[in-house]
Amino acid sequence: MQEQERRKFFRIDHQVSIELKTISAEEIAKNPTPVQFEVSPYFLLLSQLQDLDTEGDHLLRKIAEKDANTAAFLQLMHRKIDTIAKAVAVNGIELEQILSQEINLSEGGMMFEYPDTFEMDQHLAIKLIFPETCIGLLLYAKVCRLIPMPNGHYKVGIEFIRMPESCRVLLARQVMLLQSQQRRRERLSTEQSDD
């Protein structure tokens, strides 16, 4: 992906849990999604439910046009299922086993600090979890940037590759949600300092 194309994505700095493994291009060719990680049955639960939400949004809008009460009831059921799914997912995802750190994220890739170096164009399998929403993603990526740091670590820039459209939409949604939360915090902070 060209530098100019990568820059068109919204970017956000955020704390996430991340696990990664170096892999070969052959492993990517064999499996549409990473299989290198142990994941509980609950790991992708919220991601799958959000995929279903995306599919159902259009239908819910059509129902709302014809019957507001039915649409309101369906939205209530949606919130109920979402609450139950989050409770189940929180118990099923063990975040303490995964490195948690600040990353710079967009739907096209991310940059993070890492204690070891990689080769340029090295392929990676990535397990990414957003702790506040418990949304987990399994992604493939390629190293496209390495910057040595004074502490001996490296700033690693990666580009997501072979990402399913449902994953891309979910990631874009997370980035936009985090951006709006950040803007809201900044606005509140500004309002409080003005008082």
Side-chain angles (χ1 to χ4, degrees):
M1 186 181 297
Q2 299 296 323
E3 179 71 18
Q4 207 169 12
E5 286 179 35
R6 275 199 304 270
R7 291 281 149 212
K8 74 179 179 181
F9 295 122
F10 289 115
R11 303 191 74 76
I12 187 79
D13 292 319
H14 193 65
Q15 190 81 16
V16 299
S17 296
I18 181 173
E19 185 178 352
L20 52 91
K21 296 185 179 184
T22 57
I23 58 170
S24 67
E26 292 76 28
E27 288 176 273
I28 294 174
K30 278 192 246 177
N31 301 294
T33 58
V35 294
Q36 291 78 9
F37 304 102
E38 291 289 325
V39 292
S40 77
Y42 310 114
F43 178 77
L44 296 174
L45 175 65
L46 292 175
S47 302
Q48 291 164 341
L49 285 174
Q50 286 211 350
D51 280 348
L52 293 172
D53 286 349
T54 303
E55 290 177 31
D57 282 346
H58 175 68
L59 294 172
L60 188 57
R61 280 193 296 277
K62 284 190 166 273
I63 291 168
E65 289 171 8
K66 294 182 180 183
D67 186 351
N69 288 333
T70 302
F73 176 75
L74 291 172
Q75 286 175 328
L76 181 65
M77 290 297 99
H78 169 266
R79 285 200 313 269
K80 187 176 183 179
I81 291 167
D82 195 46
T83 302
I84 293 167
K86 281 182 182 167
V88 169
V90 165
N91 289 328
I93 295 176
E94 297 176 13
L95 297 175
E96 68 277 358
Q97 296 177 359
I98 305 174
L99 173 68
S100 182
Q101 71 175 77
E102 182 93 3
I103 64 167
N104 182 267
L105 176 70
S106 78
E107 65 183 87
M110 65 184 195
M111 183 166 269
F112 56 96
E113 185 176 328
Y114 201 70
D116 298 317
T117 189
F118 297 101
E119 291 186 24
M120 286 297 289
D121 296 324
Q122 171 69 58
H123 290 95
L124 302 173
I126 298 173
K127 180 179 180 180
L128 189 65
I129 300 174
F130 296 89
E132 66 285 336
T133 58
C134 288
I135 289 187
L137 298 171
L138 297 175
L139 306 163
Y140 287 125
K142 180 171 70 171
V143 175
C144 59
R145 206 169 190 193
L146 286 167
I147 304 168
M149 299 175 67
N151 64 2
H153 290 192
Y154 293 84
K155 279 274 186 198
V156 181
I158 60 169
E159 172 188 345
F160 298 130
I161 56 174
R162 290 198 53 187
M163 185 187 302
E165 180 63 14
S166 59
C167 240
R168 189 200 62 72
V169 167
L170 189 57
L171 193 53
R173 207 182 266 173
Q174 282 296 120
V175 170
M176 289 172 63
L177 173 72
L178 294 169
Q179 268 191 330
S180 67
Q181 288 172 349
Q182 183 179 5
R183 285 186 187 131
R184 192 169 28 247
R185 281 193 301 271
E186 288 168 0
R187 191 174 60 247
L188 286 172
S189 176
T190 303
E191 288 170 1
Q192 288 173 351
S193 63
D194 289 345
D195 290 343

